[in-house]
Amino acid sequence: MAVPTTRTARRGRPGYDLESLLRIAVKLFNERGYDGTSMEDLSRKLGITKSAIYHHVSSKQELLRLAVGRALDGLFAVVEEARTVPGRAIDQLEFLVRGSVTVLADRLPFVTLLLRVRGNTKVERDALAKRREFDHIVSALVEQAAIDGDIRADIDPATTARLLFGMVNSLVEWYRPRRDDDLHTIADTIATIAFEGIRLPGGE
Amino acid sequence: MAVPTTRTARRGRPGYDLESLLRIAVKLFNERGYDGTSMEDLSRKLGITKSAIYHHVSSKQELLRLAVGRALDGLFAVVEEARTVPGRAIDQLEFLVRGSVTVLADRLPFVTLLLRVRGNTKVERDALAKRREFDHIVSALVEQAAIDGDIRADIDPATTARLLFGMVNSLVEWYRPRRDDDLHTIADTIATIAFEGIRLPGGE
């Protein structure tokens, strides 16, 4: 780990703070896979020595932990906010779906990385555990909304929760901030499909 | 490429036909990423020489082409079948959604690989082009169903198509054939959410 710092290697190079280091690391992880990216690759990409990186973080795992933490903090902040939404479980569920769309869009590279985590290291297993916790929260809201009589009781809550977030999470595959897709419109479309369905009552 | 065949390396080892070779290669690609898996890794996993692999396929790219072909052939067979479904665009759309669920479940490792393709090689770019073609077919059906007055016209067809298949494709993340999830129930749940929505008319 302790590669000696050569001051010359940094001379004339741009300096990196933890934030920019993290952004570039996440970009690289998303392009090549976390397992497929070495600290050597990252140091080459940044044009700084490995020890300059270790000045900011203790390991590649710490970079991953910080990165998936950004995604998870965003999602769990929406969970906390949803709990304070006045009204019924269905209203909190809709808030959570819409809020998650915003988090995904705002923290796209971090959430992309989170959704690709496999579980080979402790950091990855912890992230997967947090994802399961999130799924359980969604699933419990679906269940409560069914008990409240607000949503249909003929579909399994856990499957419904997975499918709702199948729609939401698909954003990492096709949403690009530069494109003209308006985020509110996307959130509306997801909420419309999920809660109202696409079939018109008049049709067939 | 032309590593000399050492007969001894195969002695006492199980033989592989193209089918079993392909299944093991796809499993490895899904675990380590296509880019992260070398023919060396594959030969080690199989316990046969690289030239024994090259007896079946000319390159790693050909393995990928065969593998994503399995997924695409399945999906486009459903497209062809959907076209013959009597009725309206909405009926063909529902057939396509339900049929795709079956293809995903039946060809899970192949579709998983297809959905992770990035586009670094010609085979990958071709696969992405076919995926876009599939998306356009779904999108056109959504558009026609809206024109027919069968589905709501206030949501963008391309976004709707992406979100419908966001639900369908999420199966590769959580569906495991061994689990007790019944495939018909999953297809029903997706169709219910997509076409009818989860909110009960009486609710709220």
Side-chain angles (χ1 to χ4, degrees):
Chain A
M1 290 252 176
V3 177
T5 310
T6 54
R7 286 278 157 205
T8 49
R10 293 181 77 179
R11 198 172 287 160
R13 306 278 191 177
Y16 292 99
D17 55 10
L18 179 59
E19 188 58 34
S20 51
L21 177 74
L22 191 59
R23 293 206 167 262
I24 292 167
V26 169
K27 191 166 181 292
L28 216 55
F29 292 160
N30 282 332
E31 280 166 14
R32 305 183 188 182
Y34 173 69
D35 290 329
T37 309
S38 66
M39 287 299 254
E40 191 66 46
D41 295 331
L42 184 56
S43 107
R44 212 173 303 126
K45 180 81 178 183
L46 293 162
I48 60 176
T49 61
K50 281 202 279 182
S51 72
I53 300 175
Y54 289 124
H55 174 72
H56 293 289
V57 289
S58 63
S59 63
K60 194 174 86 160
Q61 273 212 52
E62 196 190 335
L63 277 171
L64 183 66
R65 191 180 56 76
L66 290 169
V68 298
R70 291 288 167 92
L72 289 165
D73 289 350
L75 291 169
F76 278 88
V78 177
V79 166
E80 285 313 306
E81 225 183 319
R83 289 192 206 283
T84 70
V85 168
R88 303 154 78 95
I90 191 174
D91 303 311
Q92 300 187 346
L93 181 65
E94 182 166 346
F95 184 93
L96 189 52
V97 167
R98 288 175 177 274
S100 298
V101 170
T102 307
V103 171
L104 256 77
D106 286 347
R107 307 186 182 200
L108 199 57
F110 299 110
V111 181
T112 302
L113 187 62
L114 174 68
L115 294 178
R116 289 187 187 156
V117 149
R118 303 282 177 81
N120 298 323
T121 61
K122 183 173 179 343
V123 171
E124 288 169 276
R125 286 190 298 273
D126 289 349
L128 287 176
K130 292 295 280 183
R131 281 193 60 188
R132 276 194 298 274
E133 189 186 330
F134 185 87
D135 291 346
H136 285 147
I137 292 164
V138 180
S139 180
L141 278 177
V142 172
E143 208 162 352
Q144 185 57 50
I147 291 167
D148 293 346
D150 289 329
I151 70 170
R152 47 178 72 239
D154 60 346
I155 49 178
D156 174 60
T159 307
T160 303
R162 286 191 198 108
L163 293 171
L164 290 184
F165 275 81
M167 278 200 278
V168 173
N169 293 344
S170 77
L171 258 80
V172 306
E173 302 298 333
W174 55 266
Y175 175 71
R176 295 295 167 264
R178 261 166 258 141
R179 225 157 46 182
D180 228 18
D181 300 320
D182 177 65
L183 203 58
H184 287 290
T185 308
I186 293 173
D188 283 344
T189 305
I190 292 178
T192 300
I193 295 177
F195 291 95
E196 318 301 337
I198 60 176
R199 195 190 301 273
L200 282 180
E204 210 210 344
Chain B
M1 292 254 176
V3 177
T5 311
T6 53
R7 286 282 156 201
T8 49
R10 294 180 77 181
R11 198 171 289 160
R13 305 277 191 178
Y16 291 99
D17 55 11
L18 179 58
E19 189 58 34
S20 50
L21 177 74
L22 191 59
R23 293 206 167 262
I24 293 167
V26 168
K27 191 165 180 292
L28 216 56
F29 292 161
N30 282 333
E31 280 165 15
R32 305 185 187 180
Y34 173 70
D35 289 331
T37 309
S38 67
M39 287 299 253
E40 191 66 44
D41 295 331
L42 184 56
S43 108
R44 213 173 303 126
K45 180 83 178 180
L46 292 163
I48 61 175
T49 61
K50 282 204 277 182
S51 71
I53 301 175
Y54 290 124
H55 174 72
H56 292 289
V57 289
S58 63
S59 62
K60 193 173 87 158
Q61 272 212 50
E62 196 190 334
L63 277 171
L64 182 67
R65 190 179 57 75
L66 290 169
V68 299
R70 289 289 168 90
L72 289 165
D73 289 351
L75 291 169
F76 278 88
V78 177
V79 166
E80 285 314 307
E81 227 184 316
R83 289 192 207 283
T84 70
V85 168
R88 303 154 79 96
I90 190 174
D91 303 311
Q92 300 188 346
L93 182 64
E94 183 166 345
F95 184 94
L96 189 52
V97 167
R98 288 174 176 274
S100 298
V101 170
T102 306
V103 171
L104 257 76
D106 286 347
R107 307 186 182 200
L108 199 58
F110 299 110
V111 180
T112 303
L113 186 62
L114 174 68
L115 294 178
R116 289 186 186 157
V117 149
R118 303 281 178 84
N120 298 322
T121 61
K122 183 173 177 345
V123 171
E124 288 170 276
R125 286 190 297 274
D126 289 350
L128 287 176
K130 293 295 280 183
R131 282 192 60 186
R132 275 194 299 274
E133 191 186 329
F134 186 87
D135 291 347
H136 285 146
I137 291 165
V138 180
S139 180
L141 279 176
V142 172
E143 208 162 353
Q144 185 57 51
I147 291 167
D148 293 347
D150 289 329
I151 69 171
R152 47 178 72 239
D154 60 346
I155 48 179
D156 174 57
T159 307
T160 304
R162 285 191 198 107
L163 293 170
L164 290 184
F165 276 80
M167 277 200 277
V168 173
N169 294 344
S170 75
L171 259 80
V172 306
E173 303 296 333
W174 56 266
Y175 176 71
R176 294 296 166 265
R178 262 165 257 142
R179 227 161 39 187
D180 229 18
D181 300 321
D182 177 66
L183 204 57
H184 287 290
T185 308
I186 293 172
D188 283 345
T189 306
I190 293 178
T192 300
I193 296 177
F195 291 96
E196 319 300 337
I198 60 176
R199 195 190 301 271
L200 283 179
E204 214 206 352

